[in-house]
Amino acid sequence: MQAEGKNFSSRASKALADAGLQQQVSKLKTGFVAARARAVAALPEYEAMREAGAAIKDHTLENLDFYLERFEREVVKRGGHVHWAADADDACRIVREICARAGARSVTKGKSMVSEEIGLNAALEADGLEVVETDAGEYIVQLAKEAPSHIVMPTVHKTTEDIADLFFEHHGRHGFSERVTDAAALIAQVRSVMREKYFSADVGITGANFLVAETGSNIIVTNEGNGDLTCTLARVHIVTAGIEKVVPTLNDAALFLRLLARSALGIETTSYTTLSTGPRRRGDVDGPEEYHVVLVDNGRTKMLSGAFRPMLRCIRCGACMNHCPVYLAVGGHAYASVYPGPMGAVLTPMITSHEAAGELPHACTLNGRCQQVCPVKIPLPDLLRRLRHDQWEAGFIKGKSRWGLGIWSWLATRPSLYRLVTRFGAGVLGVLGRSRGGFRRLPLAGGWTAGRNLPAPQGTTFHAAWAKGKKRL
């Protein structure tokens, strides 16, 4: 994983100084944000769909055991197998055992965030298997030995020149000896390399956008068709999915598919929406001989019974990242997590630990844009505030941060003294700063002044202005 630096602050500082990265992530501010806005504006019932999506997810989570058991029954009825994995190690063990029984030597993978979460590639490669990511973006970061920087667009941090260099280095053995920078030519190289891999793979592994309890089906969406080839050409198809991916019916899944495409890419629907329901049946012209679904818990059950249950509504669209000022400033690798951005700042402590998550719950301005655009109305700012509180209570906030917050808390709980101190402080800083056009350096404000001047306070404090305004009313 590309995540140099001991903490988020140091990784973020490095990302801010990376001109190439800044150029790449800036494209999200216009392209995908604008596309989503147009797609939402063109659908009058979009807000009603958000409400319905949140309600369906809440109902399903309230009755998760029922729907998971129903899903298992339907899969088994259709000749498939369901495996239950308590954690990442358990999930990797199950997949490794399936591959071993199949005598597998090569594995193709459709895009699967859960497989990233559990470290599946490394586990399979340790067994001597060739593992090939078939999604173009995932394939690129696999060649670069990097982690994805976005859950929908894994290579958002890379330029066309970067990709051209990478392919020139690795594709010579596949017959491509010239360096090309044309996007269509680069994609053609991926297709050529992948075609051989699809037909030689013993096992195909995909993720799941949704699992349908009603039919035992797995649904994946792609814009390249790689998911279809991965799950139909290999002898064994394995689905890795979090337990929260189940929905009650196909009608419910249809609603989420409409929300997902608009939120993720600003389009009405993806190019391919594929439903897999069990292994090949008599009369089928293609399909796997074996079909396995590995249902992964990995911290999700503990979220069910607490304040963080709404996070399990997430359909992994990435809209929260595309609208997050912090993500748009530092990119995904600064989070050093499989799940970056606002959703990752909540999920990572849940599936790992507060110690592993470190500063991620604090990598947020609490501006609320993530909640405004979330297709299933997850209250991300509230959950991040709760995580900050939990970290404080557990003693993870230490040193100057704890000391400074302690003083602020003591002062903020004494309103009269708070107003007096802030009025005095704003007045002094205003006088000192106006004469020099702001502050180039200021104690306890180094994070700000390292990159820009801190403006001098102007006028009165907010409390004083508010009180004056109320008098006018």
Side-chain angles (χ1 to χ4, degrees):
M1 177 176 289
Q2 183 172 309
E4 297 177 15
K6 292 186 292 186
N7 53 42
F8 178 83
S9 298
S10 62
R11 295 190 299 269
S13 296
K14 183 177 179 181
L16 288 168
D18 186 335
L21 175 65
Q22 293 302 308
Q23 180 181 0
Q24 289 302 107
V25 295
S26 68
K27 296 176 182 178
L28 290 174
K29 300 176 185 179
T30 53
F32 289 104
V33 170
R36 178 198 170 276
R38 288 193 298 270
V40 168
L43 192 68
E45 66 269 31
Y46 184 78
E47 283 304 314
M49 289 169 57
R50 288 181 73 207
E51 292 283 353
I56 292 169
K57 277 288 187 177
D58 285 344
H59 164 77
T60 308
L61 293 170
E62 185 70 35
N63 302 278
L64 189 57
D65 53 347
F66 170 80
Y67 287 112
L68 286 173
E69 289 173 357
R70 183 180 181 188
F71 173 77
E72 180 182 32
R73 287 196 302 272
E74 296 300 324
V75 171
V76 172
K77 184 190 300 184
R78 290 161 174 78
H81 307 272
V82 174
H83 311 264
W84 302 79
D87 54 28
D89 289 342
D90 204 18
C92 286
R93 175 188 58 78
I94 291 168
V95 175
R96 290 170 60 203
E97 289 176 354
I98 296 171
C99 290
R101 287 197 299 270
R105 292 174 298 175
S106 62
V107 174
T108 50
K109 286 181 71 257
K111 192 170 179 181
S112 167
M113 292 309 301
V114 165
S115 72
E116 295 276 355
E117 175 187 323
I118 64 177
L120 181 59
N121 284 15
L124 294 177
E125 287 169 350
D127 285 347
L129 291 168
E130 179 193 26
V131 182
V132 180
E133 295 285 355
T134 62
D135 174 88
E138 294 281 342
Y139 172 68
I140 290 165
V141 295
Q142 184 184 30
L143 287 183
K145 294 182 170 51
E146 296 174 354
S149 57
H150 192 288
I151 63 172
V152 176
M153 299 156 284
T155 57
V156 72
H157 61 292
K158 285 198 169 297
T159 66
T160 303
E161 293 292 326
D162 294 333
I163 297 168
D165 290 340
L166 196 64
F167 284 9
F168 181 63
E169 177 187 352
H170 289 274
H171 285 175
R173 62 181 180 273
H174 297 288
F176 298 99
S177 57
E178 295 183 8
R179 182 182 183 275
V180 296
T181 56
D182 177 68
L186 293 171
I187 290 298
Q189 287 191 21
V190 175
R191 288 175 177 162
S192 178
V193 171
M194 286 303 149
R195 184 161 297 278
E196 172 196 346
K197 302 300 182 183
Y198 288 129
F199 284 103
S200 63
D202 303 298
V203 174
I205 300 175
T206 65
N209 291 99
F210 307 102
L211 302 171
V212 184
E214 177 184 40
T215 60
S217 302
N218 163 53
I219 301 178
I220 55 174
V221 297
T222 68
N223 281 309
E224 302 170 29
N226 61 298
D228 296 44
L229 295 171
T230 299
C231 67
T232 57
L233 294 180
R235 290 185 290 110
V236 178
H237 178 200
I238 303 174
V239 177
T240 56
I243 57 174
E244 82 282 9
K245 289 300 184 79
V246 68
V247 296
T249 68
L250 284 170
N251 281 340
D252 297 329
L255 170 72
F256 289 116
L257 288 169
R258 296 179 73 196
L259 287 169
L260 177 60
R262 288 170 170 83
S263 298
L265 299 170
I267 57 179
E268 292 186 9
T269 185
T270 51
S271 300
Y272 299 88
T273 300
T274 307
L275 282 77
S276 301
T277 310
R280 182 192 308 176
R281 292 174 288 272
R282 182 174 298 177
D284 289 347
V285 296
D286 56 24
E289 297 171 10
E290 295 181 28
Y291 177 79
H292 300 263
V293 181
V294 182
L295 295 172
V296 182
D297 188 328
N298 206 34
R300 289 160 173 80
T301 296
K302 70 180 180 183
M303 297 171 69
L304 274 175
S305 58
F308 297 98
R309 177 187 285 185
M311 192 63 235
L312 293 175
R313 297 179 197 159
C314 181
I315 60 174
R316 306 294 195 269
C317 68
C320 61
M321 299 173 201
N322 299 343
H323 292 77
C324 174
V326 177
Y327 179 91
L328 292 174
V330 302
H333 288 152
Y335 291 82
S337 170
V338 171
Y339 302 110
M343 56 85 74
V346 176
L347 265 179
T348 302
M350 295 293 101
I351 61 179
T352 56
S353 64
H354 282 297
E355 295 95 331
E359 302 166 278
L360 294 190
H362 303 267
C364 176
T365 65
L366 300 178
N367 62 87
R369 292 191 75 193
C370 52
Q371 182 173 347
Q372 292 170 2
V373 300
C374 176
V376 285
K377 308 191 76 166
I378 300 172
L380 286 160
D382 292 342
L383 300 181
L384 288 165
R385 276 189 285 266
R386 178 61 182 261
L387 281 169
R388 293 180 184 186
H389 175 268
D390 290 351
Q391 285 192 348
W392 178 273
E393 292 297 313
F396 292 119
I397 309 301
K398 299 176 181 177
K400 289 188 292 185
S401 295
R402 192 171 189 89
W403 174 80
L405 285 170
I407 292 177
W408 181 87
S409 176
W410 180 87
L411 190 61
T413 53
R414 293 160 175 80
S416 297
L417 181 60
Y418 182 88
R419 286 193 288 270
L420 177 64
V421 170
T422 54
R423 191 180 301 125
F424 175 77
V428 170
L429 291 174
V431 171
L432 294 175
R434 278 194 292 274
S435 64
R436 61 185 75 177
F439 297 92
R440 297 184 64 182
R441 290 186 181 84
L442 197 67
L444 305 179
W448 179 289
T449 57
R452 55 193 175 238
N453 287 353
L454 181 70
Q458 299 181 24
T460 186
T461 65
F462 173 80
H463 283 107
W466 180 265
K468 187 177 182 179
K470 286 180 68 176
K471 287 179 181 180
R472 288 176 181 172
L473 296 175

